[in-house]
Structure formats: C-alpha cells, structure tokens
Amino acid sequence: MKIGLIGGSGVYQMDGLNTCEEISADTPYGEPSAPVTRCELDGREIFFLPRHGKKHTIPPHKINYRANISAFRRLGVTRIFSIGAVGGMNENWTPGTIVIPNQIIDMTQGARPGTFFDEGRVMHVDFSQPYCMQMRTVILAQATILGEEAVDGGTYICTNGPRLESAAEIQFYQAIGAHVVGMTAMPEAALAREAEICYAGICIVTNPAAGLKNEHLTATEVIAAMNDASERLRLLLRAILLALHPEHLCTCGNALSKAGI
Ligand code: HPA
C-alpha cells in the first residue's frame, strides 16, 4: 500500500517513520515542491512531500500542484492525506481544533493551473464529493479512539492568497456556507481526483478567521498553532496510517471512467 502525505505550513518532515530515503521525482509538469521522502511503517510505503518546500519558500499561489500530484501518481500512490492550516469561521473553534472537511468551494478558479486535462480528450471529472469518504471515515474513527474531538465535516473555502482575507470577505464566505478558509486545498483535491487518487484533508484551525476575534492576523500565530498541534497530529497520522485497509471501498480510483466526452 502506497500512501502520500502532503505537509502544510509548519509540517516539513514526518517523525517516527522508519528507513527514510529521498527520491527526486521529476514530472511532465516540472519539479514538485521538494524531493519526496519515502519511508516505511509496518509494511506500508509512506511518501511525504512538504507542500511549501523544505524550508517554506513557496507561497500557496505558486505551488506546482500538478507536479506534486503527478509525482505521487508516478510513484504509485493511491491515497493522499493532505494536512493544512486553516482559519476557522466557527467562533467556538479554538486554535488546534481538527476539522475533517467534506466539501470545497474554490475561489482560485482560473488563477492556478488546475487540471491535467488541458489538451487532448475533453474530460469533466465528477467532484460532487471532493474528499474520499473511506479515508474520512478512517480519520474520524482514529481521532475518536485517541480522544480527539475532530469536527466531522465542513466546507473548506480556498482563497488564492497569499494575503489573508478582509473581515467582509469572511462574512461573505460564512454566508455562502463555508466553515474553514485556507489557501491550498485547490486545485490539489481536484487534481488528485483527476489522477484517480483518493484524497482527504486534515485541517488544523490555527486562528479565528479575519474579523471574528482579533483585530489582526499574523503568519507567526499560524505557524505557532501548527507547532503546538504537531505532536497530536503525528499521533493521529500514525494511527490512521496503521488503520488504513488496503482494499478500496470508494469510487475515487474510477473517477475517469465516465468523465470523457
Ligand atoms: N485564511 C486563509 N488561510 C489560512 C488562514 C486564514 O485565516 N489561517 C491559516 N491558513
């Protein structure tokens, strides 16, 4: 079983895995954010990629999402867990709250290369359920076992960034049904679907979204909250990776079967 992990802000390596080696993975779309680290955990192959680069030098709007997903695809990865920092739009969610979203609104459309199907056959992949239900179930079950009160579901709205939002934008996003705001789930999730790879997000709330509590938001509070959550996240990921069943009970792997014109 080959599992991909994409680390977000503050997550630049995966501790506690064995016999790691770096693999440089070139793709038709260029180089991914960093060399992929291949590790082993109880017979499973884990491939880790820090989304913003090893030293956090790539801003969200400049990430080569196609290269990242393509690299995983070429390595034979069939499931991707995507870790991301988000602003919370529910006032009760304190920094460190884990949200497992089930829906996405994309505010980056047109601003980032977002498909593998620019040329050749016209493909319209189904994205009604952007996240793999089987993976979400495993994440939530393991969170419960570990005593984590992870939030089951929510809509992730993806902005282009790199600036944070205005208070009015957050009010608008709340009004259209979003629950967390981040800058990286899209086009990552859609590309994973086009590559027929299962994909699930593990979002860490690092701050109340703009205008909800503090007068100002800082990037340092985002990184600090991610660092504070890192040990809980590591334990949760380990449990998830060990609990994953090799059999696929979802349809993500056949996403292209009825997508072509
Ligand atoms: N907005 C957008 N992206 C984010 C935020 C936010 O408030 N916090 C962490 N990533």
Side-chain angles (χ1 to χ4, degrees), residues 126-148:
D126 172 51
F127 203 48
S128 313
Q129 298 300 330
Y131 294 104
C132 173
M133 289 302 169
Q134 185 182 1
M135 286 172 64
R136 290 190 69 256
T137 304
V138 175
I139 298 169
L140 290 162
Q142 292 307 310
T144 303
I145 290 168
L146 291 176
E148 287 284 354

Side-chain angles (χ1 to χ4, degrees), residues 15 28 36 39 49 51 64 67 89 94 110 116 119 129 136 212 214 236-237 239 246:
D15 298 328
V36 177
C39 302
L49 184 57
R51 185 187 284 118
N64 189 340
M89 288 187 246
T94 49
F116 290 121
E119 288 160 12
Q129 298 300 330
R136 290 190 69 256
L212 292 192
N214 306 336
L236 177 60
L237 277 170

Side-chain angles (χ1 to χ4, degrees), residues 181-243:
V181 57
M183 301 179 191
T184 54
M186 287 300 286
E188 198 175 84
L191 290 166
R193 181 59 54 81
E194 285 188 351
E196 299 188 313
I197 301 175
C198 298
Y199 179 93
I202 301 177
C203 297
I204 315 294
V205 174
T206 53
N207 55 282
L212 292 192
K213 286 228 169 91
N214 306 336
E215 222 165 294
H216 297 288
L217 297 180
T218 62
T220 28
E221 71 183 290
V222 170
I223 301 295
M226 285 303 276
N227 288 340
D228 286 351
S230 66
E231 183 58 17
R232 286 166 54 222
L233 192 56
R234 193 181 69 74
L235 289 175
L236 177 60
L237 277 170
R238 191 182 165 79
I240 293 165
L241 293 172
L242 290 171

Side-chain angles (χ1 to χ4, degrees), residues 17-120:
L17 302 176
N18 301 327
T19 55
C20 295
E21 53 168 345
E22 270 195 6
I23 310 171
S24 53
D26 200 14
T27 78
Y29 304 93
E31 303 238 326
S33 298
V36 177
T37 308
R38 179 189 167 281
C39 302
E40 260 175 48
L41 181 68
D42 199 32
R44 284 132 213 257
E45 280 183 86
I46 316 295
F47 295 90
F48 176 75
L49 184 57
R51 185 187 284 118
H52 297 282
K54 267 189 188 173
K55 302 215 158 131
H56 204 137
T57 49
I58 314 173
H61 63 297
K62 289 213 172 141
I63 290 166
N64 189 340
Y65 294 94
R66 289 195 296 185
N68 289 353
I69 300 299
S70 174
F72 277 143
R73 166 96 202 175
R74 290 158 83 92
L75 288 164
V77 164
T78 57
R79 291 182 170 116
I80 295 174
F81 290 95
S82 167
I83 302 156
V86 292
M89 288 187 246
N90 177 328
E91 309 213 4
N92 300 324
W93 295 346
T94 49
T97 301
I98 296 175
V99 179
I100 311 303
N102 63 344
Q103 277 300 332
I104 294 183
I105 297 173
D106 184 10
M107 303 299 288
T108 75
Q109 279 270 22
R112 305 174 177 185
T115 180
F116 290 121
F117 297 110
D118 256 343
E119 288 160 12

